[in-house]
Amino acid sequence: MSTLRRARYQFKAHPLTLDAVIAAAVLLCMISSAFAAPDGDHGVDWGARPPNTLSLLLMVLAAAALVLRRRSALTVLAFTGTLALVECVTGDPRAPVAMTTVIALYTVASTTDRATTWRVGLLTMTVLTAAAMLAGPLPWYAQENIALVAWTGIGATAGDAVRSHRAYVQAIRERAERAERTREEEARRRVAEERLRIARELHDVVAHHIALVNVQAGVVAHVMDRRPDQAKEALAHVREASRSALDELRATVGLLRQSDDPAAPTEPASGLGRLDELAGTFRNAGLPVQVARAEKDTELPAAVDLAAYRIVQEALTNAQKHAGTGAKAEVSVVRVGPNIEVSVLDDGAGATGATRTGGGHGLLGMRERVTALGGTLTTGPRYGGGFRVHAILPVQTRAGAERKPE
């Protein structure tokens, strides 16, 4: 089996060698058939009617032309057809040279389109059969003449079938390659989306808690000597903010675990249910926050609930960092028709609106979250001072509809 496989690979790598072997085999078959008389007294008589010199020359030329059949199929068909036509008119027997025409016709049919196969096949069949019937030495109804019709038809049909099969296999291979490319592109797209989502989560968690830690650490440094009790309280807030940051980081990183890794933390996920707790952390950090909610009876999809929480968290973090001392913040979450509207306002006169919107990834992350859910986000300075963040999130989102059955 290995020898046959190696031979097949060699012939595929060197098709001209294969064609030379086929041509030699066809020449041997034609010469053997020319020396045989099938109607002898004892069956087939060999050498009873040896071919003349012209027939031998035609057979050799026709077989030699088959070596080039892959390079110029139509030219080889025309050449072998001409030789077969000469043999039909002048030689006896006539069948052997037509064998090369059948092979050439098969090559044309297997390498061209169906319309060309029909035209060339009918022309070859008609010319050879008409020449044999009208100008040949045998009667027009002889079986050798009828055989020309059958053999040329078989050659054209077999070549067309091979061409169709090759096209079918190629189409299947191309579809498989396209499907593989599509799967790879889809996998890359999902990986990119997941990486962006995790990066957004990490930014929101780190920015919020580190900002609180920074504020409380500043308070500790300011009152350490004069008010040790207040310093201890600020340190307690620092510890609480640090613990919350670690817990949320652990929960976020848990999304990257493999199936056989230790289980991720099971504490509640961030959402509007923890909004009062979130506001309390900012109050402890020195930013008065008022919360107004009118959607407590609304059951939100997990994606919308988390996005609303992160928007409030990031907006309050920005207010804590940029609004300045003495600023106040207001948070409102209201159900309006099919949407949830989240607003965060501050009256700080610290950083300008251009400064707040010009750098960092906080506002960009909020906008990406809202856009992913099909909502809208508006940010900008307020008239008279301060900053405003307003998000409209549809309750029934495509992402929520897709994840709800899980």
Side-chain angles (χ1 to χ4, degrees):
M1 179 63 68
S2 60
T3 303
L4 293 177
R5 187 178 293 111
R6 284 197 299 270
R8 185 175 62 183
Y9 289 159
Q10 288 293 331
F11 283 140
K12 284 185 177 181
H14 303 87
L16 191 64
T17 303
L18 176 61
D19 290 337
V21 172
I22 292 176
V26 170
L27 178 61
L28 180 61
C29 291
M30 288 191 298
I31 293 176
S32 300
S33 178
F35 276 92
D39 299 330
D41 296 336
H42 303 285
V44 178
D45 291 339
W46 295 94
R49 50 173 193 180
N52 53 37
T53 304
L54 178 60
S55 295
L56 289 175
L57 178 61
L58 293 175
M59 285 186 284
V60 172
L61 293 176
L66 292 180
V67 178
L68 305 175
R69 65 189 181 92
R70 296 178 192 266
R71 297 185 178 182
S72 184
L74 287 173
T75 302
V76 171
L77 176 60
F79 182 75
T80 56
T82 301
L83 297 181
L85 181 62
V86 174
E87 178 68 9
C88 287
V89 176
T90 62
D92 186 23
R94 300 178 305 279
V97 179
M99 186 183 302
T100 60
T101 306
V102 172
I103 296 176
L105 181 59
Y106 163 84
T107 304
V108 171
S110 63
T111 55
T112 60
D113 57 279
R114 181 163 295 175
T116 303
T117 300
W118 275 98
R119 290 195 296 267
V120 174
L122 288 176
L123 178 63
T124 303
M125 180 189 301
T126 303
V127 171
L128 291 183
T129 305
M133 288 182 175
L134 299 177
L138 296 178
W140 68 269
Y141 53 83
Q143 63 179 2
E144 288 84 351
N145 298 335
I146 306 300
L148 290 174
V149 178
W151 283 111
T152 51
I154 290 173
T157 303
D160 183 72
V162 170
R163 180 194 56 78
S164 299
H165 178 71
R166 289 174 181 170
Y168 175 73
V169 172
Q170 181 64 24
I172 292 178
R173 184 179 294 111
E174 290 177 355
R175 284 199 297 269
E177 292 175 353
R178 284 197 301 268
E180 184 65 24
R181 288 195 300 269
T182 302
R183 284 194 296 269
E184 292 177 356
E185 293 172 357
E186 179 67 15
R188 286 194 296 268
R189 184 186 64 82
R190 291 186 178 184
V191 168
E193 290 180 353
E194 186 66 13
R195 184 168 60 245
L196 179 62
R197 188 181 70 83
I198 294 174
R200 201 160 49 221
E201 290 290 331
L202 289 174
H203 171 270
D204 291 345
V205 171
V206 172
H208 163 59
H209 292 289
I210 295 302
L212 295 181
V213 169
N214 181 63
V215 171
Q216 295 293 348
V219 172
V220 171
H222 184 68
V223 302
M224 175 67 75
D225 297 329
R226 294 175 298 174
R227 299 180 182 178
D229 294 339
Q230 186 176 354
K232 289 181 180 180
E233 182 180 354
L235 288 175
H237 292 318
V238 168
R239 181 181 179 182
E240 180 65 22
S242 302
R243 185 193 63 80
S244 299
L246 290 174
D247 290 341
E248 292 203 32
L249 283 174
R250 192 177 298 114
T252 303
V253 174
L255 299 174
L256 304 177
R257 297 178 184 269
Q258 302 294 330
S259 59
D260 55 349
D261 288 340
T266 57
E267 65 180 42
S270 300
L272 292 179
R274 302 177 61 184
L275 186 57
D276 293 333
E277 177 184 346
L278 176 66
T281 62
F282 283 98
R283 295 190 189 103
N284 294 332
L287 176 66
V289 179
Q290 295 182 356
V291 178
R293 297 180 60 180
E295 46 57 68
K296 291 187 177 181
D297 296 332
T298 302
E299 182 178 355
L300 300 177
V304 176
D305 197 23
L306 176 61
Y309 178 86
R310 293 302 188 198
I311 290 170
V312 174
Q313 183 185 55
E314 181 62 30
L316 291 178
T317 300
N318 288 340
Q320 177 72 47
K321 292 166 58 178
H322 302 298
T325 58
K328 299 179 181 179
E330 299 178 1
V331 178
S332 66
V333 182
V334 182
R335 173 70 181 266
V336 179
N339 303 320
I340 288 289
E341 295 193 11
V342 179
S343 298
V344 181
L345 312 175
D346 70 73
D347 58 359
T352 63
T355 303
R356 294 203 202 183
T357 59
H361 300 281
L363 295 179
L364 178 61
M366 283 192 286
R367 193 171 304 280
E368 289 175 347
R369 287 182 184 275
V370 174
T371 303
L373 297 175
T376 58
L377 177 71
T378 304
T379 60
R382 300 174 60 192
Y383 179 77
F387 200 78
R388 175 177 181 266
V389 175
H390 180 71
I392 301 177
L393 301 174
V395 175
Q396 296 297 332
T397 64
R398 182 175 60 182
E402 290 176 353
R403 296 180 185 178
K404 190 173 182 180
E406 297 179 0

